[in-house]
Amino acid sequence: MKIMQKIGLGLFLLAMLSFSFLPFVGSYQLEADIVRAETKDIHQEAMLEILQPMYGKSYDSNIRFIADFNEYFNAYNEGLKKAEEWDRVIWDDYAFALTKAASTGPVGEQPYLYLGITVLLGVIGALLYILPLYRGQPEGIKNDGIFFSSMKSRGLIGILTGSWLILFYIVLYWFPEYLTNLVLMVDPLSMALSGNPASQWFLYGFVYTLAILVMGIRMFRKYRGNNYQMIRTASVMFFQLAFAFMLPEILVLLNMPWHDFKNIWPLDYSFFYDYRLDGMLGSGALGMFMLVWGIILIVLGVPIFTYFYGKRWYCSWVCGCGGLAETLGDPYRQLSDKSLKSWKIERYLIHGVLVFAVVMTAVTLANYFMEFELLGYATNELHTVYGFMIGSAFAGVIGTGFYPLMGNRVWCRFGCPLAAYLGLVQRFKSRFRITTNGGQCISCGNCSTYCEMGIDVRWYAQRGQNIVRSSCVGCGVCSAVCPRGVLKLENANEEGRINDMPIIIGNKSISIKS
Amino acid sequence: MTGLSTKSKSKHFVIIGNGIAGVTCARHLRKADQNCQITIISGESKYFFSRTALMYIYMGQMKYEHTKPYEDWFWEKNNINLIQAWVSEVDTDNKQLIFSDKTIFDYDVLIIASGSKPNKFGWKGENLNGVQGLYSLQDLELMEQQTHGISKAVVVGGGLIGVEMAEMLASRKIPVTFLVRERNFWDNILPMEEAKLINRHLLEHHIDLRLATELDEIIGDENGAVKAVKIDSGETIACQFVGLTVGVSPNVDFLKGTAIELGRGVKIDGYFRTNIADIYAIGDCAEFLEAPAPDRKNIEQVWYTGRMQGETLAYNLTQAKPVKYQPGIWFNSAKFFDIEYQTYGFVPPAWGKEFESFYWEDQGGKTAIRFLYYKSNQQISGVNAMGWRLRHEYFDNAIQKGFQLEKVISELGKASFNAEFYQPFHQEVLQQYNTQFGKSIKQSKQSFLQKLIGSRL
Ligand SMILES: Cc1cc2nc3c(=O)[nH]c(=O)nc-3n(C[C@H](O)[C@H](O)[C@H](O)COP(=O)(O)OP(=O)(O)OC[C@H]3O[C@@H](n4cnc5c(N)ncnc54)[C@H](O)[C@@H]3O)c2cc1C
Ligand code: SF4
């Protein structure tokens, strides 16, 4: 390791440490004014009273502040619940907003400084480490030492990293009030982009985009010489930065609903939720365009593009989840399980989630159009369950937190309902396949090992069979790492694409079907 | 003493060796016959693994588990019995095998697929600690131990395993001196330009390549470990590890003294039959009495031929009418550090007057293609490619049918197997062809629509 890389790694670790501890600095003081400003009119009176004991009291840690808040707030709600006064219970979550507003620490005063010693320092450290990678070495993909690396082969460092990510996601989704310092630090940025203060989702989107950009640069180093990898990586970097991060914020600046034009239902499972539909319908021509565009993508975009290019047009070129998996997740691709058993589980799970998403959306729409009171309850329940189990726990906590434990495509492989839909089209009606080059396979297993989707590519390649699998996201890495030039991602005539009983070229004695 | 195997009415096929040849044979036996009994015996490992992937384990690119082409349940599901043991004797009279622990095992039909072992040429010091070949899993483990913490290695022998060993050591940042007897790397197989291209690439990877150099002796220290090698120029090179990769030969020592006829390998006819009824041999260990084709050797020591021999023997053992082994158009491939090599058909290192060669090399000197063709009718006899993947199906057909050079050159886009968005070298080749032969042939062009949908040519 070059000295610069060591410095980079050191800076990155320092940045991670400060990012992890920053949430716990500063002091908090709640005043009636703050409560008045941050609560809805209907709750104002109650909230002002509930939180009265906290006014004027200075807390030197958010943990104690939040503990007190929860105590008073829950006591109030519990009392009402016991008395079965359901309509007076406050269901809104004010913990995040109030904690953020009550913060009087240094972060709010000098957000740029803290952004600098956490995120910016992390980016600089990572780049110092990444840019010198493979310098002075001939072009060629090197996977040397991956299984000796504790980080990349589920060693202690990998497990610690996974645990950190899992913890971060749990706090982000369910306890964002503990992250207010981090959110405060990106407030000015959010104000500049959308004219609004930052939420935890802005923070997340910001860090997420940076991760794709920085690790995308790593992809350029690692796969240099392989144009397919370069172009594909540039594409996910672009779509994340422009479509997922910048454009939605600009829309908000223009008083439009936050909207990611490349996100497609059912991955974008809330697309048909009433507030989204109302938001789009209430935003004039652009809002109408959002709705129509979204529907066109679902009914025409997915089948047509997938027919011509395979599901890769989305999963490894455009999608945000895919974008993170292909960049931040690339060092973990070898950890996906290749067993037949995991393939079975995969098919049950992913199609199960698809069915769930479709049923939920059907109920939602029925409820929306008929304004049928009975379905209202079912809709809410379904939304809550889906949002918790699939949207947050599966896609977020497991999807990304498990990168260092189960590989970088856990969500895309086992959970994503859009991937399931794209996969059905790819499997049954597409010009895309991975062609196996006659009899050249030596069964070495590089392709299977580095398949992030857990496809046992070798199983097909060694019997001279093309790979046509619904889960293949077309990342092209099997082809890139094959030492014998056996695999090629291709769009071509459907004829001859699926060869169930292949004959391996080269033996004239017999034509044996493998 | 009775055998271990339970008596049954169906035939018991016993295969010695779980390499590609033995395993392919077993799989196809099972496909053709659901009832026969199949046992594979191997001393090296219980489960089939890919020998060609040994280097990647050492390089940390894969683990041993990843080199197994079939999951462990596969064998039980297909009712193929696996035994890990060394066969030390074959009793052809009683149709029995004797294991190294003296267990006796019956067979009805015996298939010998025992592979190869690394050559040694009686060099002084070749048995010192730190001196070894690379063929088996056990060799790999030994290499792991013997190269731990060392600061210098020497690899002797410029073949495919030699260059792999050099790459393995280099991946662990161990400086390597590579002794190659030939004037250019592998030039007993590669024409000079290709061989030189690889020479340059090895140097680029900081391999201390010594061409036209032979090993004289290996020098040990007082503990019986290697401390240096002496080469034919008289120079000594200090090192703590010597890789001997000077070819392999059939692993048939355990058959010496049996009635089975041996040459260098187990002697077989075109149907894989040995001189003893019900005993066959396939793969690296087999020596054909007559070479299977004019451009083939009597002993075929590559992965693909092991597979094809296994398929064909299984067919012969399960079908009424056996067929003679008849390999098709030759093909092979390898990778030298970052440069992939593929070959189809007949391209010897030097050729007779009836042939002509067309060679193109990229300016960067890392991509090249050579066609050998008959002067008389311009039909291609074979192709070599460096850093350029070619479509097997296309060339198998082109060589069999005798496509003319010009046709192949104009169809190179279609014949190429490079990944999408790869540099379109075929344009340059076409240009060179046109200049060299004063022609103006054109590439079959893609329409705009074809380009848009990224359709293959
Ligand atoms: C490092 C390396 C890299 C290679 N790379 C390539 C390549 O890229 N392309 C290519 O085409 N070829 C390659 N080869 C050659 C290829 O691996 C062999 O041609 C092929 O494996 C031979 O297969 P086989 O089934 O005949 O024998 P083997 O794979 O050698 O299997 C024979 C088995 O029988 C066992 N056995 C032998 N004797 C006994 C006994 N008495 N009792 C019990 N068991 C016994 C052995 O232990 C062994 O496991 C490579 C070889 C090596 C060593
Ligand atoms: S990487 Fe290539 S040679 Fe190795 S198993 Fe896969 S297809 Fe076969």
Side-chain angles (χ1 to χ4, degrees), chain B residues 225-290:
Chain B
V226 56
K227 68 170 189 193
V229 296
K230 191 160 145 228
I231 58 176
D232 51 1
S233 66
E235 185 189 345
T236 56
I237 302 165
C239 61
Q240 301 88 45
F241 178 82
V242 176
L244 292 180
T245 57
V246 286
V248 296
S249 43
N251 182 11
V252 293
D253 288 346
F254 70 106
L255 299 172
K256 281 184 182 149
T258 64
I260 303 167
E261 191 192 344
L262 302 177
R264 280 189 297 148
V266 182
K267 292 268 194 184
I268 52 166
D269 66 6
Y271 299 82
F272 312 103
R273 294 181 291 218
T274 65
N275 60 320
I276 311 282
D278 287 333
I279 300 187
Y280 302 82
I282 47 174
D284 274 27
C285 69
E287 180 180 357
F288 289 96
L289 292 163
E290 238 176 79

Side-chain angles (χ1 to χ4, degrees), chain A residues 142 145-147 227 309 312 340 431 437 439 450 458 479 484 488 490-491 506-509 514, chain B residues 31 52 59-61 66 68 71 312 326 328 333 338 342 389-392 418 420-421 452 455-456:
Chain A
K142 291 276 170 287
I146 284 195
F147 285 97
N227 288 344
Y309 307 108
R312 55 180 170 159
L340 192 66
R431 291 163 57 86
N437 201 12
Y450 287 93
R458 166 174 55 194
S479 160
R484 294 294 179 271
K488 177 168 162 64
E490 289 190 305
N491 312 314
N507 189 354
K508 278 214 290 198
S509 345
S514 22
Chain B
K31 270 190 190 175
T52 53
M59 292 165 73
Q61 202 161 318
H66 299 117
K68 290 193 267 187
E71 286 183 63
T312 316
Q326 205 191 342
S333 58
D338 304 315
Q342 287 190 343
R389 297 175 172 181
L390 300 176
R391 204 176 283 271
H392 189 175
N418 280 332
E420 293 156 307
F421 303 113
L452 186 72
S455 182
R456 101 169 170 214

